[in-house]
């Protein structure tokens, strides 16, 4: 089982999304997408903890989605077909999956998790 969470260079996220991941903890970075999408949307990732958190709130601050996953092995920026996404791949002893956070042209979040 992989014991490393590979994340892109912060500049790669800046180049694709126009926002820089902020250091929000000892080993955590947060990508605040409100200025990019107009939505109160953040993606936080912890390279050492191998975890990812997606939080999406209404303009009044009500949480619409708070998704936390462990076992992350890869975070990458994917651009193509007119869309820009942050894609996280997960792998645990029992499951494998993928979380796709589409930023452009509109916000969309999909996740798959399958027994491995």
């Amino acid at each position: 089982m992989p014991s490393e969470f590979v994340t892109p260079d912060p500049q790669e996220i800046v180049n694709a999304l126009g926002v820089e991941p902020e250091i929000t903890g000892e080993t955590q970075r947060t990508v605040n997408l409100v200025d990019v999408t107009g939505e109160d949307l953040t993606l936080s990732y912890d390279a050492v903890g191998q975890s990812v958190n997606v939080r999406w709130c209404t303009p009044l601050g009500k949480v619409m989605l708070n998704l936390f996953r462990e076992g992350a092995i890869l975070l990458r920026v994917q651009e193509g077909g007119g869309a820009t996404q942050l894609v996280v791949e997960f792998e645990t002893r029992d499951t494998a999956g993928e979380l796709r956070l589409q930023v452009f042209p509109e916000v969309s979040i999909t996740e798959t998790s399958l027994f491995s």
Side-chain angles (χ1 to χ4, degrees):
M1 177 174 7
S3 59
E4 184 180 12
F5 179 16
V6 178
T7 60
D9 183 282
Q11 189 60 47
E12 193 177 332
I13 294 174
V14 172
N15 293 349
L17 303 175
V19 291
E20 185 169 353
E22 300 170 36
I23 297 170
T24 51
E26 203 170 297
T27 59
Q28 180 176 309
R29 290 185 183 262
T30 298
V31 182
N32 187 337
L33 297 163
V34 68
D35 292 339
V36 179
T37 62
E39 302 275 352
D40 185 355
L41 179 66
T42 57
L43 171 97
S44 299
Y45 58 96
D46 185 329
V48 174
Q50 292 185 261
S51 63
V52 171
N53 189 68
V54 175
R55 188 173 169 93
W56 191 8
C57 299
T58 66
L60 296 176
K62 181 180 179 203
V63 177
M64 293 176 15
L65 175 76
N66 189 16
L67 181 67
F68 180 80
R69 289 286 181 266
E70 294 181 314
I73 58 169
L74 177 67
L75 168 63
R76 60 188 164 85
V77 176
Q78 182 175 314
E79 297 178 276
T84 302
Q85 304 179 74
L86 293 170
V87 180
V88 185
E89 295 179 20
F90 298 90
E91 192 174 294
T92 66
R93 194 173 45 136
D94 302 324
T95 61
E98 185 177 78
L99 171 68
R100 291 182 169 268
L101 171 58
Q102 179 176 294
V103 178
F104 298 118
E106 60 188 12
V107 173
S108 171
I109 300 167
T110 57
E111 182 192 35
T112 56
S113 184
L114 305 169
F115 289 118
S116 53

